[in-house]
Amino acid sequence: MRNLKGPLAILGLLALVACGAERIPLATMPAVSMTERSVAAGTQGEEIGEVEGIYCQGDDPIVSDSKNIGMLDEAIMQAQKQSGADYITGAQFFREGDCVVVTGLGMRATAGSQPTPDDGVAAAGGAQ
Amino acid sequence: MDGSLDGLTNVSHGRVEIDVLASAPHVGLSSPEGDGEQNMLQTMTGRRFVGSACLLIFLCLGTGCSTYHFAHSVKLASYDEDISKGKAAGPVRGADCTWHVMGYPLGGEPRIDRAMANARTQSGEHFADDITQETDPNKAIRYINGMNTSWDGFNAVIFGKRCLVVKGAGYI
């Protein structure tokens, strides 16, 4: 039995590493943003390249309060903060261990496509 | 693990490590000077224990515990690349559910993408293996503002239902 401990430990470690590294798709959204609610009609954004944001449990949140943390919210905000994008198109969300990753094309609202002011409609049900 | 994130995991931000045993005197070592001193020692031990417990509670309250959701308040989540300002369609809600029998799930875990798809069509709750309904393009929601997710359902021991619910303000 003692002879099996070494190989079992290595197998367990490999399984842990394999599980931790696996990217599980969560959702795909054509456009997401944590700073804009919409843009003015008939306008197009300026592409600023591929962006990626990651948020792991235990990291300091950027937009959420410390009690209720939205993993998607934080990943999106981090990608926007790093790239300076106003919104992200073709956003793909993955789960990677205790982290949520978002990848997509960063877009910046140009002079002709200023974001519209907040619509003032409260989200249904409020924040959880 | 897919879909099991929302609100299930509580992790404390600050790491509180207090060695209560190390801060308390050794109770087993009685003093040879008599009962009075021993009583005083026991009182001090009790006070230190209560003090340590209070400190632990205050530190726990101070650091707090966090609840992780899929989405707490995503400002814009769109079903379309066109995110120009649309017409308000009011609150939208969609859910993806899984039944449990004797603790065993009938199908996969609820998924956020399916819950979002149901929120778009306003088709209520769907179960893991349901066939998705066709979407009427004139009625379909184009984007959601203030999207949040939560868990819903019940557990009646023999059977139960677990749903991932997506809510927000819809725009056509």
Side-chain angles (χ1 to χ4, degrees):
Chain A
M1 190 66 190
R2 185 175 286 178
N3 293 338
L4 287 174
K5 277 186 181 174
L8 280 175
I10 292 167
L11 275 175
L13 197 65
L14 283 174
L16 196 69
V17 169
C19 290
E22 190 185 3
R23 275 193 173 186
I24 301 164
L26 288 175
T28 302
M29 300 181 203
V32 290
S33 177
M34 281 304 293
T35 54
E36 318 300 344
R37 287 178 182 273
S38 60
V39 295
T43 57
Q44 287 187 344
E46 175 196 347
E47 290 183 8
I48 59 170
E50 290 292 322
V51 297
E52 182 173 307
I54 182 165
Y55 180 78
C56 300
Q57 290 183 15
D59 290 354
D60 287 333
I62 306 171
V63 284
S64 309
D65 60 64
S66 57
K67 301 284 180 198
N68 291 293
I69 296 170
M71 300 282 283
L72 269 57
D73 310 33
E74 295 298 330
I76 296 165
M77 194 63 217
Q78 207 213 41
Q80 285 188 247
K81 200 177 172 185
Q82 280 179 352
S83 61
D86 290 319
Y87 58 96
I88 300 165
T89 57
Q92 288 184 294
F93 294 91
F94 303 93
R95 179 169 183 171
E96 198 176 286
D98 283 343
C99 306
V100 166
V101 181
V102 60
T103 60
L105 184 62
M107 304 289 284
R108 193 172 288 145
T110 53
S113 59
Q114 288 302 312
T116 55
D118 287 356
D119 301 289
V121 178
Q128 297 300 312
Chain B
M1 291 295 279
D2 187 14
S4 62
L5 171 75
D6 203 303
L8 284 182
T9 316
N10 291 331
V11 176
S12 94
H13 264 299
R15 191 171 181 147
V16 183
E17 288 181 350
I18 300 173
D19 190 352
V20 177
L21 290 175
S23 66
H26 298 284
V27 181
L29 298 174
S30 60
S31 171
E33 276 89 15
D35 287 345
E37 195 165 331
Q38 195 169 4
N39 285 343
M40 196 173 74
L41 191 65
Q42 281 175 350
T43 308
M44 280 176 68
T45 305
R47 279 181 186 169
R48 283 197 182 186
F49 181 77
V50 170
S52 299
C54 285
L55 184 65
L56 189 68
I57 290 165
F58 279 118
L59 280 173
C60 262
L61 289 172
T63 53
C65 295
S66 303
T67 303
Y68 292 95
H69 303 267
F70 272 118
H72 180 55
S73 184
V74 175
K75 227 169 193 179
L76 169 71
S78 177
Y79 297 101
D80 197 309
E81 277 196 350
D82 176 16
I83 55 165
S84 57
K85 188 169 165 45
K87 186 183 168 191
V92 293
R93 182 186 187 278
D96 186 41
C97 302
T98 305
W99 282 97
H100 289 249
V101 177
M102 303 295 283
Y104 291 98
L106 302 178
E109 279 286 296
R111 290 180 57 96
I112 190 171
D113 51 356
R114 284 196 291 248
M116 280 191 71
N118 293 335
R120 184 180 201 192
T121 54
Q122 289 292 281
S123 53
E125 294 173 358
H126 272 242
F127 294 92
D129 294 327
D130 277 359
I131 298 165
T132 308
Q133 291 178 346
E134 286 296 318
T135 304
D136 180 355
N138 296 319
K139 289 182 179 175
I141 301 297
R142 197 154 53 82
Y143 64 88
I144 296 176
N145 281 171
M147 185 181 81
N148 65 76
T149 59
S150 59
W151 287 103
D152 200 0
F154 67 92
N155 185 359
V157 185
I158 296 171
F159 62 96
K161 191 172 87 166
R162 187 169 145 80
C163 301
L164 178 62
V165 182
V166 167
K167 286 186 257 182
Y171 289 81
I172 298 170

